[in-house]
Every structure is written in C-alpha cells, then in structure tokens.
Amino acid sequence: MKIMDFLSEDAISVDLKSVNKTDGIKELVDLLISAGEVDKKDKSKLVELLLAREALGSTAIGHNVGIPHAKADCIKKLVGAFGLSRKGVDFDSLDGEPVYIFFLLLAPQDSAGPHLKALARISRLIKDKYFRDTLRQLKDKKDVARVIETEDDKKI
C-alpha cells in the first residue's frame, strides 16, 4: 500500500490556518469534503470521532508530525488528507512541540488491516528527517504529492 493510494491531491493543503487541535481537525476534514472523499453531512460526526480518538491520547507523534485518525460507519474506503501548517498547531504532542505536518486518516468501521497498514506506512516515511524537512518547505500541493510519491517508491 502506498500513501497516494488513499491520499487525493485534492485533499492536500500547504497552508493550514488553524492554531488549535479542534480547528485543525475540522480544516483537514474540510479538505476531504472539498475533494469529494467524504460527505459534508458527516462532518460533525467525523470531527467528533477524531476528537474522541484524540481524547484517548494525542496522535501527535513527535518530530512536529500529527496523524489524527478514526474509523467511521459513514466511510466506505480508506481516505486521507494532508496538511502543512506554517505557524504550527498546538496538538498536545508527546514532545510538547507544535505540529506542522498532518496526515489525517479515516477508515471504514470494519477495516483494521488497511487502516493499520496506512498508519505504519506513514510512520515509516515520516521517521526520515530529510523527508519531513522537505515537506515543510513545499509551497504547492502538486509538489507535496510528488515528494510523497517519490519517497514512497524508495521505501517499499
């Protein structure tokens, strides 16, 4: 499984405006709505599920990266959004640092396999400091998609 298999270029933002966790999650869900990946009527439910997952423990994994994720019955296939924040978002990160790089994942309620594979794939790529630094410098969503695809191809 590759990241661009579930991440649409239309669900990428290189300029998130949010500065707190709740607004950041809403903004990432909005990316999925505008990309046609999720239905607008499900927004509040999805935000609620993502925040409930956050209440169990922050998905900000350190190195200025957050991977908010949830499963929902209104999701038919694994979908993802990507966001870059220029200012950083207070996301209750394990290392106390703001989050600049976000990968948001939503999976069907009954799909443990793809959901876990996607989390593992993102985690493997994001360990690379060069990859993180490169992503943070990008100004265009096409470049983000290209860099993710290139790195993904290297680490099969």
Side-chain angles (χ1 to χ4, degrees), residues 16 18-21 24 85 87-91 97-100 102:
L16 295 177
S18 306
V19 293
N20 65 53
K21 184 183 284 199
S85 168
K87 296 178 192 152
V89 177
D90 178 4
F91 218 76
E97 295 293 317
V99 171
Y100 297 97
F102 288 94

Side-chain angles (χ1 to χ4, degrees), residues 17-55:
K17 301 297 184 204
S18 306
V19 293
N20 65 53
K21 184 183 284 199
T22 301
D23 291 344
I25 285 175
K26 287 177 182 174
E27 196 171 351
L28 289 162
V29 170
D30 282 341
L31 285 173
L32 287 170
I33 292 167
S34 63
E37 298 288 354
V38 299
D39 200 317
K40 187 174 184 171
K41 71 177 173 47
D42 296 322
K43 179 180 176 177
S44 60
K45 178 203 279 192
L46 294 171
V47 169
E48 192 177 305
L49 287 167
L50 287 157
L51 290 172
R53 169 58 189 87
E54 288 298 320

